[in-house]
Amino acid sequence: MVTQPTRPGHVPWEISQESDELRRAGLKVTMPRLRILRMLAGRAREHLSAEEVYQRLHEAGEDIGLATVYRVLTQFAEAGIVISHNFDGDRAVFELNSGIQHDHLVCVDCGRVEEFKDRIIEQRQADVAAVAGYELMSDSLILYGRCPECAKAARQQRLAEASS
């Protein structure tokens, strides 16, 4: 990979792109916002709580407080940069807003979240809204179940209990 030499006052492309994203959202460009946005962009398919964002930043040597992380994530959600979900009721998780409609599978045991897209489901939701006379603005489908690992562990637990 070829890197461009930096010159005084030059902002690398990635930071420039992130700065532009913040400005478009009407937010002032600050280092905590840039660092949080960069961390989320590097984990675009993950759904992280504010505490997990804070922990990962801390592990990366960033000196950003938990209150700042909460404040920035709230600002990002209000600006449409991230989407906030409450899959398990009491804990919000955030994902970068890709602008691409998708739905979620959530494991009721470990909290794992997976995204999926299904054209037939999307069409059926649009049909249901149309039949009811609604102009569909958005939708959210969350399927709750056990991920393969937790389902296997639950089966093993049942077998162990049955044999004892």
Side-chain angles (χ1 to χ4, degrees):
M1 178 172 138
V2 177
T3 58
Q4 298 292 327
T6 58
R7 42 184 204 279
H10 174 73
V11 179
W13 180 82
E14 295 85 4
I15 293 174
S16 176
Q17 184 182 28
E18 293 159 352
S19 297
D20 291 346
E21 178 72 22
L22 292 173
R23 284 189 196 97
R24 274 193 301 276
L27 296 171
K28 182 178 174 184
V29 177
T30 64
M31 288 314 280
R33 286 182 181 142
L34 285 172
R35 288 183 173 118
I36 292 169
L37 183 56
R38 183 178 301 129
M39 193 277 302
L40 291 171
R43 293 168 170 78
R45 293 194 52 119
E46 289 187 64
H47 300 74
L48 303 171
S49 68
E51 294 83 4
E52 291 167 327
V53 170
Y54 168 77
Q55 184 64 37
R56 291 181 184 195
L57 289 167
H58 183 73
E59 289 168 359
E62 300 290 349
D63 187 25
I64 300 173
L66 182 57
T68 300
V69 171
Y70 272 106
R71 185 174 56 255
V72 168
L73 289 173
T74 299
Q75 293 165 344
F76 283 2
E78 289 170 356
I81 295 171
V82 299
I83 300 170
S84 174
H85 301 282
N86 288 85
F87 294 132
D88 61 7
D90 63 344
R91 183 180 80 127
V93 293
F94 301 86
E95 68 172 309
L96 206 55
N97 184 354
S98 67
I100 298 170
Q101 170 59 37
H102 61 272
D103 297 304
H104 297 91
L105 289 160
V106 179
C107 180
V108 297
D109 290 341
C110 70
R112 175 176 162 182
V113 178
E114 290 194 38
E115 298 176 355
F116 72 94
K117 294 179 234 167
D118 187 300
R119 185 180 48 79
I120 295 170
I121 290 174
E122 293 302 317
Q123 185 58 55
R124 183 67 184 123
Q125 289 173 332
D127 293 346
V128 167
V131 166
Y134 279 73
E135 177 183 344
L136 189 60
M137 305 302 289
S138 69
D139 65 81
S140 176
L141 177 64
I142 305 167
L143 303 176
Y144 294 92
R146 285 196 173 106
C147 69
E149 292 82 10
C150 290
K152 180 179 177 183
R155 282 191 302 275
Q156 290 172 340
Q157 176 74 28
R158 287 192 300 271
L159 289 173
E161 290 171 357
S163 66
S164 57

